[in-house]
Amino acid sequence: MGHACVGSHGKTPDDKGTAFVASIVKGIEPQDQIEAMLASQMAAVRMATMTFARRLAHCETIPQQDSAERAFNKLTRTFAAQVEALKKYRTGGQQHVTVKHVTVNEGGQAIVGNVSHGGRVTEKITSTS
């Protein structure tokens, strides 16, 4: 029953909160159990983040504000770290760069990437002059 309570504000399952958590997990589209567990953790952190955001907005004392701010800050950083962990897990730690637009002026030459030349592979980038 512990998993069903993740989206709840109390100790018993809450249909609206549970549906919200399920929608987050579904939206992440986990490919295996590791991704499913991470998605569930991300949903729990997101719910807690919003709880502390509400508390921060309604603080009556400085100690309450400081406590809510610290928790909110830690939760938002945790969520960002979880997003990075999911991205890294899915890509095997490799970073992919896509070049969307390249401009070469008249008389210039640009070659980006692996170029075969005479049986050897070289990487050449020539700037325009």
Side-chain angles (χ1 to χ4, degrees):
M1 179 173 259
H3 292 88
C5 292
V6 167
S8 304
H9 293 288
K11 293 185 178 186
T12 57
D14 171 306
D15 290 341
K16 187 176 178 182
T18 302
F20 177 73
V21 169
S23 73
I24 289 175
V25 173
K26 183 180 178 184
I28 291 174
E29 298 178 348
Q31 304 299 309
D32 59 25
Q33 288 93 346
I34 298 293
E35 288 188 14
M37 288 186 286
L38 186 53
S40 297
Q41 290 175 359
M42 291 170 77
V45 167
R46 176 68 178 154
M47 294 287 292
T49 301
M50 292 299 93
T51 296
F52 280 98
R54 283 189 298 276
R55 286 185 190 172
L56 188 56
H58 297 98
C59 290
E60 296 179 10
T61 67
I62 296 297
Q64 286 176 343
Q65 181 180 355
D66 290 346
S67 176
E69 184 276 330
R70 277 191 307 276
F72 179 76
N73 192 6
K74 287 177 184 178
L75 287 162
T76 55
R77 282 191 269 152
T78 297
F79 187 80
Q82 290 171 322
V83 170
E84 282 299 313
L86 179 62
K87 186 169 92 174
K88 189 173 183 179
Y89 182 79
R90 285 185 169 172
T91 63
Q94 298 173 357
Q95 184 176 2
H96 300 280
V97 177
T98 303
V99 177
K100 297 281 186 179
H101 182 77
V102 176
T103 301
V104 180
N105 293 328
E106 185 177 338
Q109 179 184 21
I111 300 173
V112 179
N114 293 330
V115 179
S116 290
H117 181 68
R120 39 178 222 266
V121 177
T122 61
E123 194 167 301
K124 177 181 177 183
I125 300 176
T126 306
S127 63
T128 59
S129 6

